[in-house]
Amino acid sequence: MPPTHYDPALFHAELVEAGLILPTTVKGGYGRGAVFEDILEHFDTLVMREAADDGAEPLTFPPIVARQMIEQLGYLDNFPQLAGSVHSFFGNELQARELSERVKNGERWEDLLDITEVMLLPAACYPVYPVFSGLLPQGGRLVTVKNWCYRHEPSDEPTRLQSFRMREFIRVGAPDAVEAWRDGWRDRAMALLQRLGLPVVTDVANDPFFGRAGRMMATSQREQRLKFEIMVPVISEQNPTAICSFNWHQEHFTGTFGIRQAGGEVAHTACLGFGLERCTLALLKTHGLRPEAWPAEVRALLWP
Amino acid sequence: MPPTHYDPALFHAELVEAGLILPTTVKGGYGRGAVFEDILEHFDTLVMREAADDGAEPLTFPPIVARQMIEQLGYLDNFPQLAGSVHSFFGNELQARELSERVKNGERWEDLLDITEVMLLPAACYPVYPVFSGLLPQGGRLVTVKNWCYRHEPSDEPTRLQSFRMREFIRVGAPDAVEAWRDGWRDRAMALLQRLGLPVVTDVANDPFFGRAGRMMATSQREQRLKFEIMVPVISEQNPTAICSFNWHQEHFTGTFGIRQAGGEVAHTACLGFGLERCTLALLKTHGLRPEAWPAEVRALLWP
């Protein structure tokens, strides 16, 4: 029985009431209860089981990334509104007392800070590309990562989080092989999500580029079919929520980081990512807030 | 056979050479390879297995926390030098062009940002305390969390990370019960780490409070025996590395967040945390860089 209503505020309230999420004072920064997390972990395990034969190499990075990399990749041209820049205190005793006083008095204190060398990671795949620098092995490489991503878009809407986890696969190699890999995974991901009973649709998509120039970037990205998303109605039937995305970067990263095929030819990259909280929320919206009452075939996939 | 040398730079080089860690341009921000991560995950699983009968409730929070909570808890009085404040861009098209230009020209651009409502999480337990607000159930509560913590202390030394994971247990309840829980866990943790063949020692400890006033805080914390650590030689025989810590906060959090026992009496909190990267590094230093060659009894515990 498909959901009959789509109301972000009501869905949020139901999730809280059921103990699935724990409200905090941070918009898009709620806690996840044990049942929510159990679904999320088992969904991720299912994806990894489906991908096992591909032999992706698992790498793990912290949720911070070099400021210089964010600058170099043009992130601040395209998505300045989503960036998270990390600042800290480098001062002496006197300045520390000033900081304490201002905090106590409820005054602004950020001018006493200075930038660190890091920013928050906006996409789980970013730290992987420098690892590929130089000549690739024959056939290229395939890596998987899971990480917390930060995007500054505070919202009361339960699927829009400031901090969320992505399971990503990143493929680097010959352009045709990379494009075929991305297209093949779109079919695999659609089939997997359909087996989980999710009413998925797929379409070309664009990233949330900033401003007027950004609208042209978005149009170009769509025309070149560089980004696809898989979507499920979670908070709206008309505007389904993207739970999985497929990006073909062509030479964006290989050019920046000097990555070439084994024989020196141009290499491309593509990545795909499952938004783990959004996949969890899509399952909860579609099948109800009590996983023990989900369809047997869905339960068998997630808790084999 | 115990290690015969302790050299941070050499240990780092060996870890890189073995593919256990992947250097990045961020000091204390290296990547973790598949083998490193496998040890870390199985160590965490072992801790959770040991703690299973305690019935700790697992909660999950993002690695960001409300700025207001960091202010309220006095973190900026005590550890301003470790804080990570998150700033983003709130400007218009014109300001965004200015930002892009400055980045392209290699100029400073942080004055075009403003503070967000969040900071980086400095300790995995922080988001848990507000959840306890009000009257506790009879007997108090026990929660466990695992999260990425941020501390701004860039270093080339492999055990000092800017971003690292802690497995924490947090106990709230009657003062005597909380203190007994902390002391009991110190013995349990010592025994567990000894079964893993680690040459552990334990001692009272203090947090890295800032400045001259901080030295008095540190002395007081030691005199009251509020903090204990378990240490293992990893980069130095003389100065072993803390891999596990036990903190008795008394009324620090319960006072701030209005937490009282079921009958309205004063409640205390304590927490303990395993530094998961440091536990992994201690195992690698003690038993060698090839887990397949570790002692059979250690392997049996980690990979049962």
Side-chain angles (χ1 to χ4, degrees), chain B residues 88-102:
Chain B
S88 193
F89 176 75
F90 296 75
N92 59 24
E93 298 251 356
L94 197 66
Q95 291 158 327
R97 278 202 293 278
E98 166 82 13
L99 174 60
S100 284
E101 281 303 311
R102 291 220 216 148

Side-chain angles (χ1 to χ4, degrees), chain B residues 40-95:
Chain B
L40 186 146
E41 280 180 15
H42 282 87
F43 175 82
D44 183 50
T45 303
L46 171 62
V47 170
M48 291 303 284
R49 206 162 64 231
E50 289 286 311
D53 288 344
D54 301 359
E57 182 186 1
L59 298 179
T60 304
F61 293 91
I64 55 171
V65 67
R67 177 176 301 273
Q68 197 265 331
M69 191 196 291
I70 297 293
E71 293 178 336
Q72 188 179 14
L73 288 173
Y75 191 85
L76 296 158
D77 297 331
N78 295 331
F79 315 108
Q81 79 283 13
L82 302 179
S85 174
V86 180
H87 299 211
S88 193
F89 176 75
F90 296 75
N92 59 24
E93 298 251 356
L94 197 66
Q95 291 158 327

